[in-house]
């Protein structure tokens, strides 16, 4: 009953269409297949502009598979300094972008309260370094994602106006990260990866 549910959402939102409709939390591309005809029907009806899915698990395989299809417009995936140096992730991002898929990064801060423990010394060192450059380590985590032109946008959790303002400032700031800072993030990721869930669900699940 997705059509009925979408119609109810549109009525509640007081809009005739949505720009983007995402199926949430795919672990494999086959989970999106049942929506192919429905998505085409909703596009034709003018109720959605773009269709896609989000993924936290087995993201690289999902991206590579989506790139072979002609009806996936957007993929929202976990993408941050912890996962961006994975060679398979780099290849998947490149292939999906070349296929015309809009890529939206989420989990940009690489942290989930209650699940991720960050080495305090390394975190303090990183925060101090970037403050000397004129921005926070959290802003730097956004900047390093924006450096990748294959990423169209970041979906960032902003529970306060303070964080919202900081994110806007980071987006407007033209200061580029140095090569050394990229290497700094890579080293920091290696030091803290043992406490980070990188979405490689085939191993854990």
């Amino acid at each position: 009953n997705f059509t009925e549910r979408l119609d109810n959402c549109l009525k509640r939102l007081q809009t005739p269409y949505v720009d983007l409709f995402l199926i949430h939390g795919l672990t494999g591309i086959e989970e999106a297949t049942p929506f192919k005809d429905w998505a085409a029907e909703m596009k034709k009806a003018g109720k959605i502009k773009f269709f896609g899915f989000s993924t936290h698990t087995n993201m690289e395989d999902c991206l590579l598979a989506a790139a072979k299809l002609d009806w996936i417009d957007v993929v929202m995936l976990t993408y941050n300094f912890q996962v961006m140096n994975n060679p398979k992730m780099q290849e998947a991002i490149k292939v999906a972008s070349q296929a015309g898929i809009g890529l939206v990064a989420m989990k940009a801060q690489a942290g989930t309260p209650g699940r991720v423990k960050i080495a305090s010394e390394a975190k303090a060192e990183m925060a101090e370094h970037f403050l000397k450059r004129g921005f926070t380590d959290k802003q730097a985590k956004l900047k390093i994602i924006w450096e990748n032109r294959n990423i169209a946008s970041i979906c960032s959790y902003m529970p306060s106006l303070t964080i919202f303002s900081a994110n806007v400032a980071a987006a407007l700031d033209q200061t580029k990260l140095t090569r050394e800072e990229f290497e700094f993030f890579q080293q920091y990721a290696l030091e803290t990866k043992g406490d980070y869930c990188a979405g490689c669900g085939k191993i854990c699940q």
Side-chain angles (χ1 to χ4, degrees), residues 181-200:
E181 286 167 338
F182 272 84
E183 293 173 353
F184 187 92
F185 263 120
Q186 191 168 6
Q187 182 61 35
Y188 181 63
L190 288 172
E191 291 176 7
T192 58
K193 67 184 294 184
D195 293 314
Y196 179 73
C197 174
C200 43

Side-chain angles (χ1 to χ4, degrees), residues 68-93:
K68 297 176 182 178
L69 307 176
D70 61 359
W71 52 278
I72 301 294
D73 304 305
V74 178
V75 176
M76 180 185 287
L77 71 151
T78 298
Y79 187 78
N80 51 52
F81 73 91
Q82 284 281 5
V83 301
M84 62 174 49
N85 291 308
N86 180 329
K88 188 175 180 181
M89 173 63 79
Q90 293 175 341
E91 177 65 14
I93 290 285

Side-chain angles (χ1 to χ4, degrees), residues 9-10 13 17 24 36 56 62 64 77 111 119 172 178 180 185 187 201:
C9 287
L10 295 176
L13 293 167
Y17 69 93
H24 183 57
K36 178 181 178 180
H56 308 76
C62 288
L64 291 169
L77 71 151
L172 295 176
T178 65
E180 289 76 15
F185 263 120
Q187 182 61 35

Side-chain angles (χ1 to χ4, degrees), residues 50-193:
F50 299 107
F51 176 83
F53 62 87
S54 69
T55 175
H56 308 76
T57 306
N58 302 325
M59 297 169 290
E60 298 91 341
D61 289 336
C62 288
L63 283 175
L64 291 169
K68 297 176 182 178
L69 307 176
D70 61 359
W71 52 278
I72 301 294
D73 304 305
V74 178
V75 176
M76 180 185 287
L77 71 151
T78 298
Y79 187 78
N80 51 52
F81 73 91
Q82 284 281 5
V83 301
M84 62 174 49
N85 291 308
N86 180 329
K88 188 175 180 181
M89 173 63 79
Q90 293 175 341
E91 177 65 14
I93 290 285
K94 179 181 177 181
V95 169
S97 179
Q98 289 175 341
I101 296 175
L103 301 175
V104 180
M106 61 176 168
K107 313 296 183 187
Q109 298 297 321
T112 304
R115 189 174 65 184
V116 181
K117 296 177 291 182
I118 300 297
S120 57
E121 284 186 24
K123 185 175 181 180
E125 181 184 347
M126 183 171 70
E128 182 180 356
H129 171 85
F130 286 116
L131 281 176
K132 289 178 181 177
R133 289 266 279 141
F135 43 87
T136 69
D137 55 322
K138 293 178 176 62
Q139 290 172 314
K141 289 176 183 179
L142 298 178
K143 282 177 169 291
I144 199 171
I145 296 172
W146 283 321
E147 288 283 347
N148 187 339
R149 295 299 179 183
N150 291 321
I151 301 295
S153 182
I154 298 175
C155 179
S156 181
Y157 177 56
M158 295 181 281
S160 72
L161 285 175
T162 300
I163 294 175
F164 172 77
S165 298
N167 285 0
V168 170
L172 295 176
D173 179 32
Q174 297 299 307
T175 305
K176 300 289 186 181
L177 298 183
T178 65
R179 180 177 178 180
E180 289 76 15
E181 286 167 338
F182 272 84
E183 293 173 353
F184 187 92
F185 263 120
Q186 191 168 6
Q187 182 61 35
Y188 181 63
L190 288 172
E191 291 176 7
T192 58
K193 67 184 294 184

